[in-house]
Amino acid sequence: MEALRVLNNNVVLARDEKGQEVILTGRGIGFSSRQGKPVDPALVVRVFVPADGRDPDHLAEAFALIGEDVLRAVVIALDEVGIEGRESTRPTLAIAVADHVAGALDRARRGIVVEYPLRAEAQTLYAAEYAQAQRLLAAINERVDPKLDASEATALALHLVNAGFASGDLSFTYTMTGVIQQLLAVVGKQHGLDVSQESVSAARFITHVRYLFVRIQQHRQLKGHESTIGKGIRQHYPEATHTAQRLATIVELRLGQQLSEDEVSYLALHVARMTMEEDGSGA
């Protein structure tokens, strides 16, 4: 790979074998690189390939603003726990996590502990990411001083969830978390269900809604090609469809996006599954 710009001792903007601009990180990689010259591959810890039209130069500058020790700890930890491989198309995740860790370390040095209000929601709604975040926190703590408090797993989990969206900040993830809780409450009240229990159907519903939110943000709602199946769902589960229409109204009010008929149908299917599981009639 050919160096295009040396940002600092640990970050280099380069061009890879495919001709695309990439961001390279590694201890001392900038010190040993020269513009227009090949980069020593032995010094490369992580290769970031900017996606979704993101400006490589701008992202490289964002990396350069993060302290060397923090950046190195986060990059290696992400790889170690299997969240990101050596090559990543999600540089904003590493930037967001590293920036958060830098702030958390500053708070730790001053003896400030933050109790995140969404801890219970993160553990319940994003169980997989929360488990990943706990492993990530442990891996980061092996490389930083002072050690970060266990409560930071909540914030890291939200950053992992947020990586699935185009937005760089956590605002959409915060909104999604609140909306999912509201949707579950409506289903529970409408059908007399205890949706707080860890049931398979509730987990499927949460997963479906999360992907629905991704489709909403990317303007790729299910539409047209599933219409026949959608009609069948609506006819077979009229009560669940009525509930799903209420859920769609909530989504529209909170996110400003009207759901397609097929999206409403699949919400109805998941609502029906939850009611059937509660009744013991299967999913």
Side-chain angles (χ1 to χ4, degrees):
M1 287 182 279
E2 176 187 337
L4 299 177
R5 182 183 173 195
V6 176
L7 279 300
N8 61 24
N9 284 346
N10 312 291
V11 182
V12 172
L13 182 65
R15 192 182 308 281
D16 66 9
E17 297 80 1
K18 300 177 183 178
Q20 61 185 350
E21 292 186 7
V22 296
I23 302 165
L24 311 178
T25 64
R27 185 183 290 273
I29 190 173
F31 182 78
S32 303
S33 299
R34 295 292 180 272
Q35 185 175 348
K37 301 295 183 181
V39 177
D40 183 355
L43 297 176
V44 179
V45 173
R46 177 70 63 82
V47 179
F48 291 98
V49 185
D52 301 326
R54 296 184 183 277
D55 179 25
D57 204 59
H58 176 73
L59 289 173
E61 289 180 351
F63 272 110
L65 293 174
I66 301 170
E68 172 189 344
D69 292 339
V70 172
L71 180 60
R72 182 172 183 273
V74 168
V75 166
I76 294 176
L78 285 169
D79 188 21
E80 184 177 285
V81 301
I83 295 174
E84 293 280 78
R86 187 172 184 273
E87 183 170 305
S88 168
T89 57
R90 301 188 297 178
T92 50
L93 173 60
I95 293 171
V97 171
D99 183 65
H100 177 83
V101 169
L105 285 170
D106 180 64
R107 291 193 296 274
R109 293 186 187 101
R110 291 185 288 158
I112 301 173
V113 177
V114 176
E115 284 297 331
Y116 295 96
L118 292 178
R119 180 179 179 181
E121 288 85 348
Q123 288 177 310
T124 303
L125 302 180
Y126 315 127
E129 285 86 353
Y130 192 83
Q132 281 186 320
Q134 288 179 308
R135 295 195 298 272
L136 178 61
L137 179 61
I140 291 173
N141 273 338
E142 290 178 3
R143 298 171 174 86
V144 298
D145 186 42
K147 307 303 180 188
L148 299 181
D149 189 79
S151 62
E152 296 297 339
T154 299
L156 294 178
L158 293 175
H159 279 294
L160 296 180
V161 172
N162 196 59
F165 301 107
S167 59
D169 59 65
L170 289 173
S171 59
F172 194 81
T173 297
Y174 289 144
T175 300
M176 179 180 71
T177 303
V179 175
I180 292 177
Q181 290 287 81
Q182 188 176 0
L183 299 184
L184 287 170
V186 169
V187 173
K189 183 177 181 179
Q190 189 75 12
H191 297 274
L193 304 178
D194 180 14
V195 293
S196 63
Q197 62 184 351
E198 296 181 1
S199 65
V200 173
S201 58
R204 286 174 178 169
F205 175 83
I206 292 168
T207 300
H208 175 81
V209 172
R210 288 181 56 182
Y211 282 109
L212 165 61
F213 278 35
V214 172
R215 292 193 295 274
I216 288 173
Q217 203 200 39
Q218 296 177 349
H219 305 290
R220 295 178 179 177
Q221 288 191 49
L222 298 176
K223 195 173 183 180
H225 63 286
E226 297 286 359
S227 58
T228 302
I229 297 175
K231 289 178 182 177
I233 293 172
R234 293 193 294 273
Q235 291 172 358
H236 196 67
Y237 303 113
E239 290 187 13
T241 297
H242 177 69
T243 301
Q245 289 168 338
R246 292 188 61 187
L247 303 184
T249 300
I250 293 171
V251 172
E252 183 176 356
L253 289 173
R254 295 292 300 274
L255 301 182
Q257 291 285 333
Q258 184 175 359
L259 296 189
S260 69
E261 288 189 355
D262 287 334
E263 292 290 6
V264 175
S265 296
Y266 279 100
L267 279 176
L269 179 61
H270 283 281
V271 171
R273 283 175 170 170
M274 279 194 282
T275 60
M276 288 188 292
E277 183 173 310
E278 180 75 6
D279 293 339
S281 56

